[in-house]
């Protein structure tokens, strides 16, 4: 059985999430001190760099965390419709902040507007 803290969090999931964040920060921080890419310096498994592994690890852990969260709440008796509405509200808040930041920084305007239109 996985190691569990007192508040029922799985330590392995938190550790994997932390590792993914550290790998991504390292990969992006490398661009501040080196003009090339991380592929030039550190290759893992042939052609993958440290940053190439971070995003898949993070998304896998996020999906696993969501699954564990939903199943835990359903076992505690939360109605499925209530749960859907909670997650929909949370997603809407995070999405709105993401669109605002994208428009403010000028990085992903077209994608943010297209995603907003599709999601609406």
């Amino acid at each position: 059985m996985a190691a569990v803290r007192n508040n029922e969090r799985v330590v392995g999931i938190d550790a994997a999430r932390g590792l993914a964040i550290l790998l991504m920060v390292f990969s992006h921080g490398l661009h501040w001190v080196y003009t090339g890419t991380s592929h030039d310096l550190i290759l893992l498994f042939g052609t993958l760099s440290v940053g190439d592994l971070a995003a898949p690890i993070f998304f896998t852990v996020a999906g696993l965390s969501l699954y564990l969260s939903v199943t835990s709440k359903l076992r505690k008796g939360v109605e499925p419709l209530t749960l859907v509405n909670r997650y929909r509200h949370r997603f809407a808040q995070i999405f709105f902040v993401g669109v605002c930041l994208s428009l403010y920084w000028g990085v992903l305007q077209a994608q943010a507007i297209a995603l907003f239109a599709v999601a609406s």
Side-chain angles (χ1 to χ4, degrees), residues 1-12:
M1 183 167 182
V4 178
R5 291 188 206 153
N6 290 339
N7 61 0
E8 297 184 15
R9 293 181 63 98
V10 180
V11 175

Side-chain angles (χ1 to χ4, degrees), residues 29-45:
L30 191 60
H31 294 289
W32 292 343
V33 294
Y34 180 68
T35 57
T37 67
S38 58
H39 289 89
D40 297 339
L41 298 175
I42 303 169
L43 288 179
L44 304 171
F45 307 112

Side-chain angles (χ1 to χ4, degrees), residues 14-100:
D14 291 337
R17 184 181 294 126
L19 175 66
I21 291 169
L22 286 174
L23 291 174
M24 188 61 71
V25 168
F26 174 76
S27 176
H28 283 80
L30 191 60
H31 294 289
W32 292 343
V33 294
Y34 180 68
T35 57
T37 67
S38 58
H39 289 89
D40 297 339
L41 298 175
I42 303 169
L43 288 179
L44 304 171
F45 307 112
T47 60
L48 295 175
S49 75
V50 180
D52 294 335
L53 297 175
I57 291 171
F58 189 81
F59 286 123
T60 301
V61 170
L64 181 59
S65 297
L66 180 62
Y67 169 77
L68 292 174
S69 173
V70 168
T71 55
S72 171
K73 286 178 179 29
L74 289 174
R75 268 186 276 137
K76 291 178 181 175
V78 176
E79 292 293 322
L81 186 58
T82 303
L83 197 56
V84 167
N85 288 334
R86 282 184 195 168
Y87 282 110
R88 184 180 297 148
H89 179 72
R90 184 174 179 187
F91 170 78
Q93 290 174 331
I94 293 170
F95 181 79
F96 179 72
V97 169
V99 168
C100 291

Side-chain angles (χ1 to χ4, degrees), residues 106-118:
V107 177
L108 302 171
Q109 297 97 330
Q111 289 179 357
I113 291 170
L115 186 58
F116 180 73
V118 169

